[in-house]
Each structure stands twice: as C-alpha cells, then as structure tokens.
Amino acid sequence: MKKTLHITLVALLSTFALGVYAQETVIWEEDWQSSEKNKLVNEVTNPNAVYIINTTAGAAPKYMQLYVKTGTDNDLELLMPHAGRGETWTVKINDLKGKTGDFKLSYKYNQDNFSITSSTTGVIISDIDKAGAMIKVPAGTGSLELTFSNQQASTNGRIDNIKLVAGATAEVYPEVANIAELKALGDGAKAILTLTNARVNFVNGKDMYVEDATGAIDFYDCKLEYTAGQVLNGTIKVKEYKLYNKLPEITIVSDNNLVATDGEAVPTEVAIEAINDAMVCRLVKVSGKVATAEEEYTDNSGATQKRTNYFLEDEDENSVQFYRKWQSLEGTDLSGLVSGDNVTLTGIVVFLKNVPAIGVTGLSKNATNGITDVSTDNESNAPTYNIAGQRVENVVRGIYIRNGKKFVVK
C-alpha cells in the first residue's frame, strides 16, 4: 500500500510539472524540419530568429550544416563542428515578446564540452548540459543573442529540438527510492534517485552498469568515476532517463551525493531459460554449449559481408545469443569458439535486435558439458541458485545451478 501511494504521488508531481510548463511563453524553437539536408545554418529561415556562422579570420562558412539523423530518412539535425574547425553559431532573437527574467533553453545534444555564451548585456547563462540551460535576462532587454560552440578538440556534435521559453520555473524532480521506481516514470523521466547498497557491476568506456535490489540500469556517458564492485549509497539527480533500443539508460546527472564503498562485482548465476527482458543490465554467469550461425549483411559501402553469430544452448534447446559488445575488452575474443564447445560466460544482459542477449565480459571453456551431479564436498558447500537466479538454502525437486553448472534434484 505504501509503495503504491508513493508511485501515485510521483505521478502527481510529474503532472504538476508538466502543467507549469504548459503556461510558459515560447520565444523561439527550431527542429530544422523547414529546411533541407546540407544547408548551412545561416541559410535556414526561422520566423523568430536570424542565424549567423562565425568563422576564424573571415573564412567562408563550411562545416555548420544540416544532416539526416542517424538511422532515419528525413529527421534533420545540425552538425556542430569540433573546435579545430573554427566555426561557431549565433542566433539573434529580436522579439522577446515583452518577457524577461528566467528563461529555459532546452535541446538535444550528443556530446560534452558544449558552450553557450551571450553578448547581450546582463544576460547570465547557467546549468549548461546536454539537455539544456537556464538563462536569466535582465529587465528592459528587448532582444537576445546566443552563441553556440562545440569545445571538443576533434569530435563533432549534433544539436536538435531547440526551444526557448520565458517564465521558466525550477523543474520539479520527484524523489524515487530505487531503480525500479525510476523506470516506472517512463522514457524521458527526471528524478532524484536514491540508491541503497547498489553495486557497480561493470564499467567499460561510456557504460557503467549499476544494480540494486529492484533492478539494474546503465549510467551511460555520465562521467562518473566509480569502479566495478563498488557499492553506492545516497542520492543523485537524474536529468535524463531514456530507453535506447529498449535498454534503460541514465544519460545526464548532476548533484551527485553518492558515497562509494569497496565491494565485489559478483555475477548472478542463471540458467539460459531464465534470461529475459527483466534481467537487462544485470551481470550474469551462465553455462551451456556453443552453437554458431553464419549471417550475410550489407556493409556501409553496399558490399555483402558474412559474420558469425554465437549462441549458448542447453539440453532443452533453450538458447541466448552472446557477442563481443566491448571489442577492446581482454578475455572476450570469440573467434576461437566452435559449435559444441562447452563454456561458461559472464556478461551484461542487453538487447540485440530487440531480444535479450549477453554482452560478454569474460568466458572460459569447460571440460564437460550437460547436466551433472554435484559430487565433491567443496561443490556441495557452494551457493545454490534456482533457474531464476535466486539463491536457495534448501533444494527440493527441480533444476538448480551450482558453481556455474546445472543439476537436477528428482
């Protein structure tokens, strides 16, 4: 009852926040869809603004162009060239509709080191991140200039879905007690997330997978300097939660009050048949027999190529695909595996073509395969799990896992 009430209050707070923003005045917005591919930004027409490309030493504008969003046919977004290209972009908004004070600028940007400045007297810009910024405009100001620049030394960025609104109020961030409650808010949610004894399962590149008692999630490109095995307690402001190809990700955070203590990243031993959507982002350990399948695909040049797909199977013909998600990660080379090999994998459950799969973090070949009886004292004293990955103390009739191997109690 208390949990239901808590979620209901969260929903009410979210609705209240949306209602507040519905009363704001839109000053300027841009999604580029009135233009066309390969246009320079200074060639884009907007009824509320004028766009200017600033270049180094008076060079002709060249790089600040519109491109089709990756994976789409006609969704345009603006390329923000890296700092080495020497181009920035200024928007001149000549009509603020009589509004001053607090403005909210929102957008979608795919990189870090993004800068927004203003030459308009007295304007203060704060809280800049990949999703937006706050702008304070002094009384008496009739127009506004904003300059956008990519500060990355050699990496281009892209920006889209820009909106400037006046009368901005502080956003309402509902408090959620765990990962499951954050996910329940849905794609695009913002919240103050409390983590209780949450374990960092795996860190590599931009990915950091964290699991608490209610579920797991990927802190993607959040620049959090934690290591695998650490246990996190405290709160953190989630400024963007989203589903990326069904994978739950936290992509923008601030106000980090998490405290880390030492621990160990221990995978949950599961049976192949237990791997499902609910286990996504969890660190698992699973054993079975390798099966391979050749697949033809078309590369970016239009040529037909072949690749080997790898699957793990059990004796009941349950299967799960596994692959080398992190190409540079040591101990994950699959090229030496052949059909029939009996292996034990550790990895993160992710989605591959909308189906649960395992991104491998480690693997080892086993000398035997199939369902085995447990015979040694050391093995019988090891933790025992059911096929759902839950630890059990007393076994009854059914299938169990111990030391990465399945066995049957009849």
Side-chain angles (χ1 to χ4, degrees), residues 83-385:
R85 301 294 192 188
E87 290 189 3
T88 62
W89 159 51
T90 296
V91 55
K92 292 186 175 182
I93 305 168
N94 294 319
D95 183 9
L96 298 183
K97 302 180 181 180
K99 303 294 184 180
T100 56
D102 291 327
F103 286 58
K104 172 68 177 179
L105 180 66
S106 60
Y107 46 76
K108 289 186 177 180
Y109 190 68
N110 68 336
Q111 297 291 344
D112 295 299
N113 296 332
F114 184 53
S115 171
I116 306 173
T117 59
S118 179
S119 61
T120 304
T121 302
V123 168
I124 299 173
I125 303 175
S126 61
D127 297 332
I128 302 172
D129 57 34
K130 292 188 292 186
M134 293 299 297
I135 301 175
K136 186 175 288 294
V137 179
T141 303
S143 61
L144 176 66
E145 289 192 11
L146 301 172
T147 297
F148 301 83
S149 60
N150 178 1
Q151 301 295 305
Q152 294 271 12
S154 59
T155 303
N156 294 331
R158 295 194 178 203
I159 190 169
D160 196 6
N161 297 341
I162 308 169
K163 181 180 287 188
L164 179 68
V165 296
T169 57
E171 293 184 88
V172 176
Y173 281 78
E175 296 183 8
V176 293
N178 49 54
I179 291 173
E181 287 191 11
L182 174 63
K183 292 179 180 179
L185 294 179
D187 194 10
K190 301 179 180 184
I192 305 297
L193 171 65
T194 295
L195 292 178
T196 303
N197 294 328
R199 185 181 65 205
V200 180
N201 278 333
F202 178 70
V203 179
N204 189 275
K206 295 182 178 181
D207 294 300
M208 185 182 83
Y209 293 92
V210 175
E211 179 179 355
D212 68 9
T214 70
I217 202 165
D218 184 13
F219 282 79
Y220 181 77
D221 200 19
C222 289
K223 306 295 188 295
L224 298 174
E225 297 182 357
Y226 299 115
T227 57
Q230 287 187 316
V231 177
L232 307 179
N233 284 279
T235 63
I236 188 167
K237 179 181 284 188
V238 176
K239 302 190 75 172
E240 183 178 71
Y241 163 73
K242 66 180 183 180
L243 297 174
Y244 178 75
N245 293 333
K246 292 178 61 176
L247 188 77
E249 294 182 343
I250 293 171
T251 53
I252 304 175
V253 297
S254 66
D255 299 348
N256 181 9
N257 295 302
L258 297 174
V259 176
T261 55
D262 291 338
E264 184 179 0
V266 180
T268 301
E269 296 186 51
V270 298
I272 292 172
E273 63 190 284
I275 296 174
N276 55 38
D277 289 15
M279 299 192 70
V280 70
C281 292
R282 293 180 66 182
L283 178 66
V284 299
K285 182 177 182 180
V286 60
S287 300
K289 186 165 60 177
V290 173
T292 61
E294 298 297 317
E295 177 188 13
E296 287 189 351
Y297 69 99
T298 303
D299 64 18
N300 292 334
S301 66
T304 300
Q305 304 286 354
K306 287 186 177 181
R307 61 183 164 215
T308 301
N309 293 324
Y310 295 88
F311 299 84
L312 202 62
E313 297 182 339
D314 63 18
E315 292 186 351
D316 296 323
E317 298 184 351
N318 298 302
S319 68
V320 63
Q321 188 170 354
F322 62 94
Y323 71 112
R324 196 178 189 190
K325 178 175 174 63
W326 298 278
Q327 294 292 322
S328 61
L329 186 61
E330 293 185 7
T332 61
D333 184 5
L334 309 181
S335 61
L337 297 178
V338 298
S339 292
D341 282 345
N342 191 275
V343 300
T344 295
L345 302 175
T346 57
I348 300 293
V349 179
V350 294
F351 286 109
L352 186 63
K353 298 179 181 178
N354 290 322
V355 176
I358 297 176
V360 178
T361 61
L363 65 93
S364 61
K365 290 186 179 181
N366 301 324
T368 61
N369 75 73
I371 297 176
T372 61
D373 291 324
V374 179
S375 58
T376 67
D377 288 339
N378 287 337
E379 287 180 329
S380 61
N381 290 329
T384 302
Y385 301 85

